[in-house]
Every structure is written in structure tokens, then in C-alpha cells.
Amino acid sequence: SGYRLSFIVDVPRIDEFKALVSQKLPSAKLEEENAGSLVYSIRSLESNDVNTFFYYLQASHVDGSSPVRDWGMKNTTLEDVFMAVAHQNAASSVPAAEGGKVPK
């Protein structure tokens, strides 16, 4: 359950944006990052932190100071959960390499 927040951020300002999210939305967990595209997950929209964060996004967009070029939000789907579990299982089932060789 929860929500996924997707952001397209100016690449030179990614670290600035990550720090901003950590400060204003500490419950958010970074799930994916790729070339300026960041996806965070949050459990609930009920937190005052969420309101503060979205208010900041709105205000910084209006004054032109935002590192965010675009953003979106959606409910976490069953497919999102399945993909996360499959990714975790795949990562845990890879055998550990010893001396640069995969054991037989």
C-alpha cells in the first residue's frame, strides 16, 4: 500500500533535490534513480510533511527556483509490489562469487 512519487529533476541539481526530500519528506524512500528520474515511495498522504512538501513544490515552481521539471503521483499497484518482490528475490538468489569465479 502507499503511493509512488515520480520526479524529473535537472541532473546537476539531483543531490540538492534529494537533500530537500530528506529534509521536507523524511518518510519518503528512494526506490529508483536513473538520469534525472527519481521515484520515491511513501505510505500515506496523511502526514503534515506531505502537505509541506507539496506546498514547497508549488511555491518553488511559481518563483522558478525548483529543480523539478515534472512530477507525478500514483497509488502503489499490485504490479509494483510484485516487481519489488521479484527484484529482491533475484538479488538474493545470485550466488556469491569467490575469487572472481562463480561456484559450480
Side-chain angles (χ1 to χ4, degrees):
S1 69
Y3 298 87
R4 292 175 60 86
L5 305 174
S6 303
F7 301 94
I8 305 296
V9 179
D10 292 328
V11 173
R13 298 180 69 188
I14 285 177
D15 290 337
E16 172 190 346
F17 180 73
K18 286 180 178 178
L20 175 74
V21 172
S22 293
Q23 176 190 15
K24 297 205 178 285
L25 196 57
S27 63
K29 179 182 173 193
L30 182 61
E31 299 288 341
E32 299 173 31
E33 178 180 358
N34 186 14
S37 174
L38 300 147
V39 178
Y40 286 87
S41 64
I42 58 172
R43 290 194 177 270
S44 171
L45 295 178
E46 310 258 331
S47 166
N48 194 33
D49 293 338
V50 174
N51 293 333
T52 302
F53 181 72
F54 283 115
Y55 179 80
Y56 173 82
L57 280 183
Q58 168 84 24
S60 64
H61 178 72
V62 169
D63 72 16
S65 65
S66 178
V68 177
R69 292 190 308 215
D70 196 15
W71 67 274
M73 178 175 60
K74 70 173 189 160
N75 287 28
T76 302
T77 65
L78 187 55
E79 180 181 0
D80 294 330
V81 173
F82 175 78
M83 293 302 291
V85 170
H87 180 71
Q88 288 174 346
N89 287 343
S92 66
S93 66
V94 174
E98 295 177 1
K101 297 179 182 176
V102 176
K104 295 181 183 180

